[in-house]
Structure formats: structure tokens, C-alpha cells
Amino acid sequence: MTHGRNDRSVNGRIGRALGLLAAASLTLGIAQQATAQSSTERVSVDEWSRLVWMNAEAGKSEVVFKLLEALPRNHASTAVTSLRDAVDLRERHIQDREATRVTRMEELRAELAERLDKKEYDKALNSAVELQDLSGDKQAFLRDPQIMDLVARAEDAARRAEASNEWLRAQSLYFRLSLLFENTKRYDVELKRLSQRLTYLRLYAPKTLHEMRDAERVRDGKDKLPPFNAIGEDWKERLKGIDRGMVLRAMMRADQANVDGVGLGEMIIGGLRAVENLATTGALTQTFPSLADMKARESFLSQLSAEARRYDNRANAGQFELRRAISTLLQANSTTVNLPEEAILQAFGDGAMLALDEFSSIIWPFDMNQFMRSTQGSFQGVGIQIQLDEAGNLKVVTPIEGTPAQRAGIKRGDIIRRIDKDSTLGVTLLQAVDRITGPAGTKVTLGVEREGVEDMIEVTLTRAQIPIYTVKGWERNGPSETDWNWFIDDQSGVGYIRLTQFTENTSRDFDNAIRAMQARGLKGLILDMRFNPGGLLSQAVAIANRFVDDGVIVSQHDARGFQTDRQVARRGLATLNRIPVAVLVNEGSASASEIVAGVLQDYAKSGRISAILVGATTYGKGSVQNVYDLADGVAALKLTTQYYKLPGGRLIHRRPGADGWGVAPDIEVKMLPKQVGNALELRQDADIVEFDGRGKPVLSDNRPDPKRLLSEGIDPQLETALLLLKSRILGQTEAQALLDAPIAPRGG
């Protein structure tokens, strides 16, 4: 990648800016007009603007904010004065945040001490995790004697909870402990084992799991859950279609192509250990009475252990050994506990995948529809967003415009009490989604309770193909999911796009939004990819191509580091390569969103485009998952086969034990946990607007205003991104005004 700027010139300009700041007096004019008599050097607005942006791209936060502080408060230009006011407002918000942080740390230390005294270790760990986030130095925090004492006590409590079959409590403790020791495998074995046990309960004994959750809530002082509802809870349906050939093909493919070179021997051991966990999960005896036969169970476990010992230090086992292991496993099962063969195979297959990375898995027949829905630009259903409220009611968040639910009159706030005559009391969200969605053309009947209506409303809906919209703007201005005000700041011409994930329609909808903004004079763009979990690589490449006109976007490399593939930009598609862009990222930005952010950062540093990253370091998922068919579309293997590298050669994947991962922002802006929660809630609520039959918004005093994210300092990352973009646009505007000014004729 070539550099488009003269580094010596850039460094000289940065040095000059620092020198001006050191003189403590920087005056902005429309042109550079320093005089020998002036004690203050004058610099053009455009040059100042360039210095702010260049330092932001270089990650020099301190210089950036000193330059912003240098703006005069009483300038002839109202645009300069307005920007100065925004700088002052941000500074007040930062001071408020710091005061809140200090106060919160004091509260947390008091909470931590109190909860330790009461031996409430899970709550104490909650306090410790938040305190660690606020402390700055995470490693030093772990050396604090109080924290070391908490860790020792919590580990002991977790071991005792698991021994007593309190698996939810044990998992909760180990999970919170793992948050303190980020990116280590310190509690990996325990968490995998407990996750397996809880998965088995969810599948084979959901009522027992419901009772465990209820007991945990009561212990924590919360309201009891509604009674258990068995709607859709048929484990036999979930196992249909599973056979040994499916598992064999999955493991052989994984052996050939997994990126970390994990061998079949390790996968076989992982599978056998998972089956052992299945057989020793005592709460399953109601579903599988044979597990209560101690003699049969011990014989089964003994044969599992003997088979596992065959593969100690034998990661290079082959197909013969795998076939033998599966046959031995099924034979041992049939002569002892005699569980359904499909249950044994599913446990064995899932356990084998746990020997690989966290993103590899077998997609079983029952889960295929949901998996396909997660990557496609549409799904089949009735078109409602639902959630469980605090009371456990199945509540409509909003109907999607133009869908069967919206046309039938389903409204925001409706409570769904019945699905096809079955009560929804006590259902999980997954149960409800499974029952409401289904093939297009089929029908589902919902019994709806609405505030102010005495009788239950019964609505029969015909399911249809429902589009998924992943491109969102600043503020809803119409009933359609594509009706947005795309400008966060009309006066400055700053557009705003949120990408929530990457599906097959993302680039199409993105292009439509950009065209709408360009028609109104787009001068700069905020691209918000916070909490974007990723999606289709092809769509990430397409979005990056809108900024980059030529060159490598991303390349794939195998475990040995050899390049196996790469994607390059296609010329003529870079519709945004001439405007400044601020990209928002955080810890929830993963995979495809990290690729787009990293590509823009790399090309900005080479001078090819004008882009800065604002926020926090991304999650660190830089791996490629390929999907392999296992049974004519009935089941599939999702397998990590390669790692991504960005154009500059960075590997962003979070590997256990690594010191760094992800894409680090150019300008880091920290948010308090409370700010993150408040910002997400406000943003979500502001996106939901009710419109009448004429497409006009239904006025409500409670309608959230997204502008509060900025005016109240709720979202300092967004506030900073907007401030930096406005500073760059101001310089460009002033420079253009100077160029457009008429030239006065010379006298003579």
C-alpha cells in the first residue's frame, strides 16, 4: 500500500500546530495574515481543520482536543462560534462523566466490601467487574488483595455449587470470574462443562431448568417466574434427522479444514467427555429413567473412559479411528443405559466441536431454519418484534410496516396471551419465536390483550416473507422501515447511518440512503457500527468498496500464515471516497464490522481516504467461517477455516493469551456502563414511532428524542465523532468560500 502524503510535510504541520498551542494564543482567520507586529500567529480555518483531522487519524487525541480548545469564543464566523460552543458542551459532559465515574467507584468499593461480608459472591463479582472497567489498569486491579480474596472465595463457592448440582449458580460464578480474567482460558473447562449440562437440561428437562431459574430469582430477591409452559418443548422433534453419517462427515471435514489444526483425537475426546456429562446430569433421569440405574451408568462411563484413553496424545487419529470410536460409543450405550441414539450422537458431535474454536458448530436439522434466517435479508413470519417484559408477558415491541401483523392492526404494547389456542404464560422468547414464525402462506392465530379493550382480540395471520432492514438513520420520519431523516446535523451536512448487521440486502439499502443524502448535500458521514455482530463477508466488502476505489480490502490466511484468498475493491463503486467519515466502533463490533472499520482505518493512514475511528477497541473476531452441507440441506457444519488480515497486514482475531486484538480506535472515548445502557435504551425507543393512516407520527409527550444523546452527554462517542466531523467540514466550507470569493481588480 502506497502512502499518499509526504510524511515530512505532515509532521512539520503537526509540529507547527503544537508550537502555536505552546504560544497559548491561536487566532483563526479566513486567510493566513501574520504580520511582523502581531504577537499572535494567524492560521486559516481550513489549515486548523486539517490539523485537527490529521492528528485524529494519527491517534493523537491530546493534540486534537488542544486544537479544539484553541477555538476562539467570539469569532466573526457564527460557524466557528457554534463549533466552539459544541467543544465547551463536550468538555462539560466529560467533566460530568469523570465526576460520575469517581462517585461510582466509591459506591462499588463499598458494595464490594458489604457483599463480601455477606458472602454474596456473585453480586460481589458484579461489583468487581464494573469496578475493573472503571479503574483503567485491569491487571493491577487483579493484584488488589481484596480482589484476590474475592477470586479465591468465589472459586470455592463455584466448586461447591457444582458439586451440589446448583449448575446455574456455578455457571454464574465462573462466568463472572472469567470476565475479570479477560481472554484467558482460566475457567474454560468449567464453563464448557456447565454449559453442556445446562444445554441438556434445556433440551431434555426444561421444567427442571425453569425451576432452577425460579429458585435463583427467589434467592436474589426477585419475583417468581410464571408457571412453566411446555409449548413447543418436544425433545424428540429436536432430535429428528440426526444420524451417525452426519456426525462422521462433520468431524472429517473439521479435521481437514479447521484453522488451528486441531486433530481428530482431540475432537473424539471432546465428544466422549460431552457424552459423559450427559450421562452424569442427574436431573435427566425423569426423561431417561435408565440413567438412574447406577450399575448400567457406571458400566457406560467406564467404557467411555477406556475409549478416551486410546486417544491420549493422538491428535492425528484418522477416519478409521473415528468410525471405531462412534461404533464403540453407540454399542456401549445400547448395552448399558440405552439412551436414544440421536441424543448420544448430538452430544458427541457438539462436544467434538467444543475442541475447536468458539465459532465452529454443527447446525442440526431442527436449527437450520433459524441459522439460515440469521444470514439472509428476510425471514418468514408475521412481522412483529417481541420481548418478555418484567412480568414475563410476551409483549409486542412494534409491528413492522407493511407486514401481516401491521395490516391486521397489531399495535405496540399488545400482550400476546395465546398462540394457536396455547397459553403464552411462562414461555421463553425462543419458544414464542419458534411458534409464531413459519413457512410463508401458513397461518397462525394470536390471542391479543390490549389496554382499554375488555375482551381478548383474536387475530389470524397468514405468514409471509418479512424483509430485514439493517441500515438505519438518525430519526424515523415515516411509517416505512426505510423512512429516515439521514442527517444528524442538517446545517453542517453530516449524515448518519447505523449498520446493525450485514445481510444480503445491506449494501443495497446503504446505497439508497447515501443517494438520498447526496441529493441534499452530504458533506460528512458518521458510520455507526457499534454492537454490530457482523454477517456476510461479501456485504462487508461491498460497504468497504463504497469508500475505497482500488486495492485489497481483506485477505484470508490459513493456520500456517499462507494467503488462501483475497477480496479487492472494484473500481467505480467508491461513492464516498471524497468526504470525511467518522466510524463508531466498540467492544460489540465484531467480524464483518471489524473488517469495514479496519479497512477504512488502513486506507486513511495511507492517505487514500479521509476517515477516523472513534469509540473503543472492537471484539476481535477475525476468523472465516465456511458452511458445509452435511445432509442435502438438512444439516450443516459451520467451521472456522481461515483468519482475516486487513490491508495493512493486521490479524485482528482474539486468540487466547494474546495481549492485543481487534481494531483500536484512532480516538478512544470511554463510556460508563450506565451511559452505554441509557444510550442503547434511548436509541431503541426512539426508533419505534407510531404513525397514523396518513403516515403522520402519532404525537406523544413520551416519544424519545435521539437529540438527547448529544445534548445530555448520554453518548460521548457519538458526540465526539460529530464534533470532529463538523470541525473538518467547517474548514472545507471556509476554504471553498475563499476560493469562490470574487478577486478584486488591481489598481494601476
Side-chain angles (χ1 to χ4, degrees):
M1 185 180 296
T2 59
H3 289 268
R5 294 184 184 137
N6 184 303
D7 288 339
R8 187 174 299 173
S9 172
V10 170
N11 290 334
R13 289 162 67 86
I14 292 173
R16 178 167 177 249
L18 291 172
L20 292 170
L21 289 170
S25 183
L26 175 62
T27 302
L28 297 181
I30 296 301
Q32 299 177 48
Q33 299 174 347
T35 65
Q37 293 79 19
S38 175
S39 61
T40 302
E41 183 170 359
R42 296 174 64 82
V43 60
S44 72
V45 172
D46 183 44
E47 184 174 9
W48 169 87
S49 167
R50 289 176 185 273
L51 289 169
V52 171
W53 195 259
M54 286 163 50
N55 277 282
E57 286 182 333
K60 299 181 182 294
S61 300
E62 185 176 351
V63 177
V64 168
F65 294 113
K66 282 184 178 179
L67 283 165
L68 290 170
E69 282 294 325
L71 279 168
R73 285 186 170 79
N74 297 303
H75 194 271
S77 168
T78 56
V80 172
T81 302
S82 174
L83 188 59
R84 175 70 220 201
D85 290 342
V87 172
D88 290 341
L89 180 61
R90 178 189 178 278
E91 180 58 29
R92 289 196 296 273
H93 290 158
I94 294 299
Q95 290 174 359
D96 291 343
R97 183 195 68 188
E98 181 59 20
T100 301
R101 185 184 73 86
V102 171
T103 300
R104 181 57 181 156
M105 287 184 71
E106 293 173 354
E107 293 172 350
L108 287 168
R109 290 195 181 280
E111 284 180 10
L112 181 57
E114 180 182 354
R115 289 169 173 176
L116 268 173
D117 286 342
K118 292 182 177 180
K119 299 182 180 180
E120 297 174 340
Y121 300 127
D122 46 356
K123 293 181 180 179
L125 285 169
N126 285 342
S127 300
V129 169
E130 185 178 349
L131 189 57
Q132 185 186 44
D133 287 340
L134 297 176
S135 66
D137 190 336
K138 293 188 175 183
Q139 296 306 312
F141 178 83
L142 293 174
R143 294 191 293 270
D144 183 297
Q146 186 184 43
I147 300 303
M148 293 173 68
D149 179 48
L150 169 62
V151 168
R153 293 196 201 184
E155 286 178 345
D156 180 63
R159 285 190 292 268
R160 286 187 283 107
E162 184 174 7
S164 302
N165 294 340
E166 298 177 66
W167 296 315
L168 280 173
R169 176 162 168 72
Q171 185 195 48
S172 174
L173 288 166
Y174 280 126
F175 174 71
R176 284 161 175 76
L177 282 164
S178 71
L179 293 178
L180 289 175
F181 294 88
E182 187 178 27
N183 207 44
T184 71
K185 288 194 171 185
R186 180 160 174 164
Y187 304 103
D188 191 53
V189 173
E190 291 85 357
L191 283 170
K192 284 183 177 179
R193 181 175 61 244
L194 287 162
S195 176
Q196 286 175 348
R197 292 198 189 281
L198 292 172
T199 296
Y200 299 146
L201 288 180
R202 173 72 184 86
L203 180 58
Y204 301 117
K207 184 176 182 180
T208 300
L209 183 59
H210 179 90
E211 291 167 351
M212 286 183 175
R213 287 175 173 155
D214 202 30
E216 286 289 301
R217 288 180 63 87
V218 171
R219 186 181 63 82
D220 292 338
K222 299 178 182 178
D223 293 337
K224 289 175 67 66
L225 292 171
F228 172 70
N229 191 325
I231 180 174
E233 295 289 0
D234 185 349
W235 61 267
K236 294 178 183 178
E237 283 293 318
R238 294 176 182 269
L239 295 182
K240 273 186 179 179
I242 297 175
D243 60 43
R244 73 170 72 189
M246 192 178 291
V247 176
L248 179 66
R249 288 188 289 273
M251 292 179 66
M252 289 302 300
R253 173 61 71 176
D255 178 50
Q256 296 164 5
N258 82 83
V259 69
D260 292 321
V262 176
L264 268 179
E266 292 179 67
M267 284 187 269
I268 291 171
I269 291 174
L272 293 171
R273 293 285 180 256
V275 176
E276 180 181 304
N277 284 337
L278 173 66
T280 56
T281 302
L284 302 184
T285 54
Q286 293 181 2
T287 304
F288 304 127
S290 60
L291 290 177
D293 184 336
M294 294 292 292
K295 184 178 179 180
R297 189 179 67 179
E298 289 305 316
S299 175
F300 183 51
L301 294 175
S302 176
Q303 293 181 65
L304 290 181
S305 296
E307 186 64 22
R309 285 194 295 272
R310 290 178 179 272
Y311 303 97
D312 287 344
N313 303 315
R314 288 190 61 185
N316 61 340
Q319 184 176 157
F320 174 80
E321 287 84 2
L322 173 60
R323 289 181 180 276
R324 183 191 181 286
I326 293 177
S327 295
T328 300
L329 169 64
L330 295 178
Q331 178 65 22
N333 171 63
S334 66
T335 58
T336 56
V337 292
N338 198 28
L339 301 184
E341 185 172 294
E342 296 86 351
I344 295 292
L345 288 168
Q346 185 185 53
F348 182 76
D350 285 341
M353 294 302 108
L354 283 177
L356 307 177
D357 67 293
E358 61 182 302
F359 303 108
S360 295
S361 62
I362 298 174
I363 313 301
W364 302 106
F366 185 84
D367 302 315
M368 276 295 289
N369 285 338
Q370 184 178 352
F371 172 72
M372 296 302 294
R373 192 163 59 229
S374 68
T375 58
Q376 294 174 341
S378 62
F379 67 95
Q380 296 180 6
V382 299
I384 50 174
Q385 296 177 24
I386 56 177
Q387 67 179 19
L388 290 177
D389 65 15
E390 283 297 314
N393 295 316
L394 190 63
K395 191 173 186 178
V396 175
V397 176
T398 184
I400 300 172
E401 177 68 22
T403 62
Q406 189 267 340
R407 289 193 296 269
I410 299 293
K411 296 183 180 296
R412 180 186 183 187
D414 284 351
I415 303 296
I416 300 174
R417 292 297 186 193
R418 293 186 181 279
I419 303 173
D420 287 336
K421 304 299 182 182
D422 292 323
S423 171
T424 62
L425 183 64
V427 299
T428 66
L429 200 58
L430 183 60
Q431 286 174 301
V433 170
D434 284 344
R435 288 296 301 273
I436 295 174
T437 58
T442 60
K443 296 182 183 296
V444 61
T445 300
L446 304 181
V448 173
E449 179 183 292
R450 181 172 298 159
E451 186 176 359
V453 178
E454 184 174 346
D455 296 327
M456 185 179 296
I457 303 168
E458 193 168 273
V459 184
T460 298
L461 305 171
T462 301
R463 299 180 179 101
Q465 200 75 17
I466 309 297
I468 297 173
Y469 296 96
T470 61
V471 179
K472 300 180 183 294
W474 175 240
E475 188 173 19
R476 287 286 298 273
N477 62 5
S480 171
E481 294 296 315
T482 60
D483 289 338
W484 292 93
N485 171 16
W486 298 104
F487 284 89
I488 189 173
D489 190 298
D490 285 288
Q491 187 172 359
S492 297
V494 179
Y496 174 86
I497 282 181
R498 270 176 296 142
L499 295 184
T500 59
Q501 58 180 315
F502 291 85
T503 65
E504 57 191 16
N505 297 326
T506 296
S507 60
R508 179 202 66 188
D509 294 343
F510 182 88
D511 289 342
N512 290 338
I514 293 301
R515 281 193 288 269
M517 285 185 267
Q518 288 175 331
R520 291 181 50 197
L522 177 68
K523 295 179 181 177
L525 177 69
I526 292 176
L527 178 60
D528 192 343
M529 295 191 293
R530 292 174 296 178
F531 298 107
N532 181 323
L536 297 177
L537 172 63
S538 60
Q539 290 297 298
V541 171
I543 296 299
N545 202 168
R546 299 310 186 259
F547 301 90
V548 178
D549 195 43
D550 181 44
V552 174
I553 288 179
V554 67
S555 57
Q556 289 85 44
H557 301 256
D558 63 21
R560 295 171 294 174
F562 294 127
Q563 180 176 305
T564 57
D565 198 3
R566 69 174 187 169
Q567 287 72 39
V568 298
R570 293 169 53 198
R571 290 184 180 275
L573 297 180
T575 55
L576 294 167
N577 63 338
R578 297 185 182 277
I579 68 166
V581 179
V583 183
L584 286 169
V585 292
N586 66 2
E587 302 89 339
S589 306
S591 192
S593 58
E594 294 180 277
I595 290 173
V596 174
V599 169
L600 268 58
Q601 187 179 58
D602 279 0
Y603 278 96
K605 291 189 183 304
S606 73
R608 297 270 299 277
I609 63 174
S610 183
I612 56 172
L613 268 59
V614 178
T617 299
T618 60
Y619 178 82
K621 183 186 179 295
S623 56
V624 184
Q625 281 76 48
N626 283 334
V627 178
Y628 301 96
D629 181 47
L630 296 179
D632 295 327
V634 174
L637 169 67
K638 181 164 68 81
L639 182 69
T640 301
T641 57
Q642 299 151 325
Y643 289 124
Y644 291 121
K645 281 190 178 180
L646 297 175
R650 281 183 291 171
L651 177 67
I652 62 174
H653 194 67
R654 179 196 294 240
R655 286 176 161 177
D659 294 328
W661 58 82
V663 179
D666 302 308
I667 303 296
E668 183 181 29
V669 180
K670 296 181 179 179
M671 290 180 65
L672 303 177
K674 186 175 181 180
Q675 286 180 309
V676 174
N678 289 344
L680 281 172
E681 183 177 0
L682 175 55
R683 182 70 267 177
Q684 176 181 293
D685 291 345
D687 286 351
I688 301 170
V689 183
E690 188 176 354
F691 292 87
D692 60 24
R694 297 171 299 169
K696 301 293 184 182
V698 177
L699 298 180
S700 170
D701 293 337
N702 298 322
R703 180 182 174 186
D705 186 350
K707 296 182 182 67
R708 289 177 49 213
L709 293 167
L710 302 168
S711 63
E712 298 178 16
I714 297 173
D715 191 342
Q717 294 172 344
L718 178 63
E719 186 179 11
T720 300
L722 178 59
L723 182 61
L724 292 172
L725 268 178
K726 288 174 68 174
S727 72
R728 185 69 197 103
I729 293 169
L730 172 65
Q732 293 173 330
T733 303
E734 294 286 2
Q736 188 62 45
L738 183 63
L739 290 172
D740 293 342
I743 301 175
R746 292 186 180 183

